[in-house]
Amino acid sequence: MKAPPPQSALIKAMMRSFRWTMWLDRRQAWLAVSIAFAAAVCADWLTGPSVSLTIGYLFVDCLAAWTLRERVGVAIVLGSVAIGSWINGFGYIPAVDQTGLTAAIAIWNTATRAASAIMIVLMVATLRHTIDSERWRASTDYLTRSLNGGAFRSQIERVARSRRRQGAALLLLYMDLDGFKAVNDRHGHAAGDAVLRRFADEARARMRADDLFARLGGDEFCALLAIEPDALPEQVAESLHARLSEALRATGHAVTCSMGAVVVDAAAAYDTERLLKLADEAMLEVKRSGKNAIRIAFDIRSDHRRAA
């Protein structure tokens, strides 16, 4: 398979211009589409039938398909055609003599405009779906359906940024499964895979939408949790460790979890590798002292830390 051609300057400019649309949540997308649609309708009303606003409506159609997917995009197309026909006249085409315009021609013109816009909307929605699928595959561990290590590292800053304004603390966890290799050796890799999936499923079930959970490789996992102001990081970590230990016992295999944790201010969560190293070192201390436990370190100066 040949490598794709290099991106042109125009494509790079377009990607930079519309990159912000990739991060809109559904409410923000609806707001953006509504504002753009209202602007297109107002411009069409003010300019009248002599000036074509097709490009404006088409932009709104594509924005809807890109951010809200094909159903909303098609609905916006139909709404655009209906409003445009109401403002400019049914079947009207700017710069074309409308004398003798029959109902059949008007219907054909309107249907053609709608069909053309719908085709473009479907292509835009297909492109967005393809991009999202590729991004998901590139950031996800295929076995556990968790983030992979690269995606985890890249998203730590995003989570920290969203929590900085609240002065929140973050809990970074590094987990390793004790006795996992014996499961593979005695029962085969299928049994080991089932243990990993059960562990990951239980961990994700205990996470909130903004928390991160990843498989770094083998039987090593990481998580990043936001700590609410009225919660103690120690209790959060201990509760999660207890839940994960229950899930491992339910597999029927002698597998436990050694967990290292680091509590850090969201404002200081920019040195990802240093924090991961601290959590890893805490986990290794658990391994050396008997396994199946949790050790918590603090890289924080806040009320979240208990007095010694």
Side-chain angles (χ1 to χ4, degrees), residues 110-142:
T110 303
T112 300
R113 288 169 52 199
S116 300
I118 288 173
M119 289 175 63
I120 294 174
V121 157
L122 293 178
M123 286 189 288
V124 169
T126 300
L127 176 61
R128 178 60 191 269
H129 178 76
T130 302
I131 291 174
D132 287 346
S133 297
E134 290 301 319
R135 290 176 63 199
W136 183 85
R137 278 192 285 268
S139 63
T140 305
D141 172 62
Y142 77 97

Short mmCIF file of all heavy atoms in Angstrom, two decimals, residues 110-142:
data_model
loop_
_atom_site.label_atom_id
_atom_site.label_comp_id
_atom_site.label_asym_id
_atom_site.label_seq_id
_atom_site.Cartn_x
_atom_site.Cartn_y
_atom_site.Cartn_z
N THR A 110 -35.76 22.32 -6.63
CA THR A 110 -35.69 22.21 -5.17
C THR A 110 -35.18 20.84 -4.76
O THR A 110 -34.32 20.71 -3.86
CB THR A 110 -37.06 22.47 -4.55
OG1 THR A 110 -37.53 23.76 -4.95
CG2 THR A 110 -37.00 22.40 -3.04
N ALA A 111 -35.69 19.78 -5.41
CA ALA A 111 -35.25 18.42 -5.07
C ALA A 111 -33.77 18.22 -5.40
O ALA A 111 -33.04 17.56 -4.65
CB ALA A 111 -36.10 17.40 -5.83
N THR A 112 -33.31 18.82 -6.49
CA THR A 112 -31.91 18.70 -6.86
C THR A 112 -31.00 19.38 -5.84
O THR A 112 -29.96 18.85 -5.46
CB THR A 112 -31.68 19.31 -8.25
OG1 THR A 112 -32.47 18.62 -9.21
CG2 THR A 112 -30.21 19.21 -8.65
N ARG A 113 -31.41 20.57 -5.41
CA ARG A 113 -30.63 21.26 -4.38
C ARG A 113 -30.56 20.44 -3.10
O ARG A 113 -29.50 20.31 -2.50
CB ARG A 113 -31.26 22.63 -4.10
CG ARG A 113 -31.07 23.65 -5.20
CD ARG A 113 -31.94 24.88 -4.95
NE ARG A 113 -31.74 25.42 -3.62
CZ ARG A 113 -32.60 26.24 -3.01
NH1 ARG A 113 -33.76 26.56 -3.63
NH2 ARG A 113 -32.35 26.71 -1.82
N ALA A 114 -31.70 19.89 -2.70
CA ALA A 114 -31.72 19.10 -1.47
C ALA A 114 -30.89 17.84 -1.62
O ALA A 114 -30.10 17.49 -0.72
CB ALA A 114 -33.17 18.74 -1.12
N ALA A 115 -31.02 17.14 -2.74
CA ALA A 115 -30.27 15.91 -2.95
C ALA A 115 -28.76 16.16 -2.99
O ALA A 115 -27.96 15.39 -2.44
CB ALA A 115 -30.73 15.23 -4.24
N SER A 116 -28.37 17.26 -3.63
CA SER A 116 -26.94 17.59 -3.70
C SER A 116 -26.38 17.88 -2.32
O SER A 116 -25.29 17.41 -1.96
CB SER A 116 -26.74 18.81 -4.61
OG SER A 116 -27.19 18.56 -5.92
N ALA A 117 -27.13 18.65 -1.53
CA ALA A 117 -26.68 18.96 -0.17
C ALA A 117 -26.63 17.71 0.70
O ALA A 117 -25.71 17.53 1.50
CB ALA A 117 -27.60 20.01 0.45
N ILE A 118 -27.62 16.82 0.53
CA ILE A 118 -27.63 15.59 1.32
C ILE A 118 -26.44 14.70 0.96
O ILE A 118 -25.82 14.09 1.84
CB ILE A 118 -28.97 14.84 1.12
CG1 ILE A 118 -30.10 15.58 1.82
CG2 ILE A 118 -28.87 13.41 1.64
CD1 ILE A 118 -31.48 15.03 1.55
N MET A 119 -26.09 14.62 -0.30
CA MET A 119 -24.91 13.85 -0.70
C MET A 119 -23.65 14.39 -0.04
O MET A 119 -22.81 13.63 0.46
CB MET A 119 -24.77 13.87 -2.22
CG MET A 119 -25.80 13.05 -2.97
SD MET A 119 -25.65 13.23 -4.77
CE MET A 119 -24.00 12.54 -5.02
N ILE A 120 -23.50 15.70 -0.04
CA ILE A 120 -22.33 16.31 0.60
C ILE A 120 -22.34 16.04 2.10
O ILE A 120 -21.31 15.71 2.71
CB ILE A 120 -22.30 17.82 0.30
CG1 ILE A 120 -22.08 18.05 -1.19
CG2 ILE A 120 -21.20 18.50 1.11
CD1 ILE A 120 -22.19 19.50 -1.61
N VAL A 121 -23.51 16.17 2.73
CA VAL A 121 -23.65 15.91 4.16
C VAL A 121 -23.25 14.48 4.50
O VAL A 121 -22.55 14.22 5.48
CB VAL A 121 -25.09 16.21 4.61
CG1 VAL A 121 -25.43 15.47 5.89
CG2 VAL A 121 -25.28 17.71 4.80
N LEU A 122 -23.69 13.53 3.70
CA LEU A 122 -23.35 12.13 3.96
C LEU A 122 -21.86 11.87 3.81
O LEU A 122 -21.26 11.09 4.56
CB LEU A 122 -24.15 11.21 3.03
CG LEU A 122 -25.66 11.19 3.26
CD1 LEU A 122 -26.35 10.28 2.24
CD2 LEU A 122 -25.99 10.72 4.69
N MET A 123 -21.23 12.53 2.84
CA MET A 123 -19.78 12.38 2.68
C MET A 123 -19.04 12.97 3.88
O MET A 123 -18.06 12.39 4.37
CB MET A 123 -19.33 13.03 1.38
CG MET A 123 -19.70 12.25 0.13
SD MET A 123 -18.93 12.87 -1.38
CE MET A 123 -19.85 14.39 -1.62
N VAL A 124 -19.50 14.13 4.36
CA VAL A 124 -18.87 14.75 5.52
C VAL A 124 -19.04 13.88 6.75
O VAL A 124 -18.09 13.67 7.52
CB VAL A 124 -19.47 16.16 5.76
CG1 VAL A 124 -19.02 16.71 7.11
CG2 VAL A 124 -19.06 17.10 4.65
N ALA A 125 -20.25 13.34 6.97
CA ALA A 125 -20.50 12.48 8.12
C ALA A 125 -19.67 11.20 8.03
O ALA A 125 -19.16 10.71 9.05
CB ALA A 125 -21.99 12.14 8.21
N THR A 126 -19.53 10.66 6.83
CA THR A 126 -18.71 9.46 6.64
C THR A 126 -17.25 9.74 6.96
O THR A 126 -16.57 8.94 7.60
CB THR A 126 -18.83 8.94 5.20
OG1 THR A 126 -20.20 8.62 4.93
CG2 THR A 126 -17.97 7.71 4.97
N LEU A 127 -16.75 10.90 6.53
CA LEU A 127 -15.37 11.28 6.82
C LEU A 127 -15.16 11.41 8.32
O LEU A 127 -14.15 10.92 8.86
CB LEU A 127 -15.05 12.60 6.13
CG LEU A 127 -13.67 13.19 6.41
CD1 LEU A 127 -12.57 12.24 5.96
CD2 LEU A 127 -13.51 14.55 5.74
N ARG A 128 -16.10 12.05 9.02
CA ARG A 128 -15.96 12.22 10.47
C ARG A 128 -15.99 10.86 11.17
O ARG A 128 -15.21 10.61 12.11
CB ARG A 128 -17.07 13.11 11.01
CG ARG A 128 -17.04 13.31 12.52
CD ARG A 128 -15.73 13.95 12.98
NE ARG A 128 -15.56 13.91 14.41
CZ ARG A 128 -15.97 14.90 15.23
NH1 ARG A 128 -16.57 15.97 14.73
NH2 ARG A 128 -15.77 14.81 16.53
N HIS A 129 -16.88 9.97 10.72
CA HIS A 129 -16.94 8.64 11.32
C HIS A 129 -15.63 7.89 11.11
O HIS A 129 -15.13 7.22 12.02
CB HIS A 129 -18.11 7.86 10.70
CG HIS A 129 -18.21 6.46 11.22
ND1 HIS A 129 -18.72 6.16 12.47
CD2 HIS A 129 -17.85 5.26 10.67
CE1 HIS A 129 -18.67 4.85 12.66
NE2 HIS A 129 -18.15 4.29 11.59
N THR A 130 -15.06 8.00 9.93
CA THR A 130 -13.80 7.33 9.63
C THR A 130 -12.67 7.87 10.50
O THR A 130 -11.87 7.11 11.06
CB THR A 130 -13.44 7.50 8.14
OG1 THR A 130 -14.49 6.96 7.34
CG2 THR A 130 -12.14 6.79 7.81
N ILE A 131 -12.61 9.19 10.64
CA ILE A 131 -11.57 9.81 11.47
C ILE A 131 -11.72 9.38 12.92
O ILE A 131 -10.74 9.02 13.59
CB ILE A 131 -11.63 11.34 11.34
CG1 ILE A 131 -11.20 11.76 9.94
CG2 ILE A 131 -10.74 12.00 12.39
CD1 ILE A 131 -11.37 13.25 9.68
N ASP A 132 -12.96 9.41 13.44
CA ASP A 132 -13.19 9.02 14.83
C ASP A 132 -12.82 7.55 15.05
O ASP A 132 -12.25 7.18 16.09
CB ASP A 132 -14.65 9.25 15.21
CG ASP A 132 -14.97 10.72 15.38
OD1 ASP A 132 -14.03 11.53 15.47
OD2 ASP A 132 -16.17 11.07 15.42
N SER A 133 -13.14 6.69 14.08
CA SER A 133 -12.80 5.27 14.20
C SER A 133 -11.30 5.06 14.24
O SER A 133 -10.77 4.27 15.04
CB SER A 133 -13.42 4.48 13.04
OG SER A 133 -14.83 4.55 13.07
N GLU A 134 -10.58 5.77 13.37
CA GLU A 134 -9.12 5.64 13.34
C GLU A 134 -8.50 6.19 14.62
O GLU A 134 -7.54 5.61 15.15
CB GLU A 134 -8.56 6.36 12.12
CG GLU A 134 -8.89 5.69 10.79
CD GLU A 134 -8.36 4.27 10.73
OE1 GLU A 134 -7.22 4.03 11.18
OE2 GLU A 134 -9.10 3.39 10.23
N ARG A 135 -9.02 7.29 15.11
CA ARG A 135 -8.51 7.84 16.35
C ARG A 135 -8.76 6.89 17.52
O ARG A 135 -7.91 6.74 18.40
CB ARG A 135 -9.17 9.20 16.64
CG ARG A 135 -8.74 10.31 15.69
CD ARG A 135 -9.49 11.58 15.98
NE ARG A 135 -9.22 12.08 17.31
CZ ARG A 135 -10.00 12.95 17.97
NH1 ARG A 135 -11.11 13.38 17.39
NH2 ARG A 135 -9.68 13.36 19.15
N TRP A 136 -9.94 6.26 17.52
CA TRP A 136 -10.25 5.31 18.59
C TRP A 136 -9.31 4.11 18.54
O TRP A 136 -8.77 3.69 19.56
CB TRP A 136 -11.70 4.85 18.46
CG TRP A 136 -12.13 3.93 19.57
CD1 TRP A 136 -12.60 4.27 20.79
CD2 TRP A 136 -12.09 2.49 19.55
NE1 TRP A 136 -12.86 3.15 21.54
CE2 TRP A 136 -12.56 2.04 20.80
CE3 TRP A 136 -11.70 1.55 18.59
CZ2 TRP A 136 -12.65 0.70 21.12
CZ3 TRP A 136 -11.80 0.21 18.91
CH2 TRP A 136 -12.27 -0.21 20.15
N ARG A 137 -9.09 3.58 17.33
CA ARG A 137 -8.18 2.43 17.21
C ARG A 137 -6.76 2.80 17.61
O ARG A 137 -6.04 1.98 18.19
CB ARG A 137 -8.21 1.89 15.77
CG ARG A 137 -9.39 0.98 15.49
CD ARG A 137 -9.21 0.25 14.18
NE ARG A 137 -9.45 1.13 13.05
CZ ARG A 137 -10.64 1.27 12.46
NH1 ARG A 137 -11.67 0.61 12.91
NH2 ARG A 137 -10.79 2.09 11.44
N ALA A 138 -6.34 4.01 17.28
CA ALA A 138 -4.98 4.43 17.59
C ALA A 138 -4.76 4.68 19.08
O ALA A 138 -3.63 4.65 19.55
CB ALA A 138 -4.63 5.69 16.80
N SER A 139 -5.84 4.93 19.82
CA SER A 139 -5.71 5.29 21.24
C SER A 139 -6.19 4.19 22.19
O SER A 139 -6.12 4.37 23.41
CB SER A 139 -6.49 6.57 21.53
OG SER A 139 -7.88 6.37 21.31
N THR A 140 -6.67 3.07 21.67
CA THR A 140 -7.33 2.05 22.49
C THR A 140 -6.58 0.74 22.46
O THR A 140 -6.11 0.29 21.41
CB THR A 140 -8.78 1.84 22.00
OG1 THR A 140 -9.46 3.09 22.00
CG2 THR A 140 -9.52 0.86 22.91
N ASP A 141 -6.47 0.12 23.63
CA ASP A 141 -5.93 -1.22 23.73
C ASP A 141 -6.98 -2.21 23.25
O ASP A 141 -8.10 -2.24 23.78
CB ASP A 141 -5.55 -1.52 25.19
CG ASP A 141 -5.14 -2.96 25.40
OD1 ASP A 141 -4.15 -3.40 24.79
OD2 ASP A 141 -5.85 -3.66 26.16
N TYR A 142 -6.64 -3.01 22.24
CA TYR A 142 -7.65 -3.85 21.58
C TYR A 142 -8.24 -4.89 22.52
O TYR A 142 -9.41 -5.29 22.37
CB TYR A 142 -7.02 -4.56 20.37
CG TYR A 142 -6.16 -5.73 20.73
CD1 TYR A 142 -6.65 -7.03 20.68
CD2 TYR A 142 -4.83 -5.55 21.14
CE1 TYR A 142 -5.86 -8.11 21.03
CE2 TYR A 142 -4.04 -6.63 21.48
CZ TYR A 142 -4.56 -7.91 21.43
OH TYR A 142 -3.78 -8.97 21.78
#
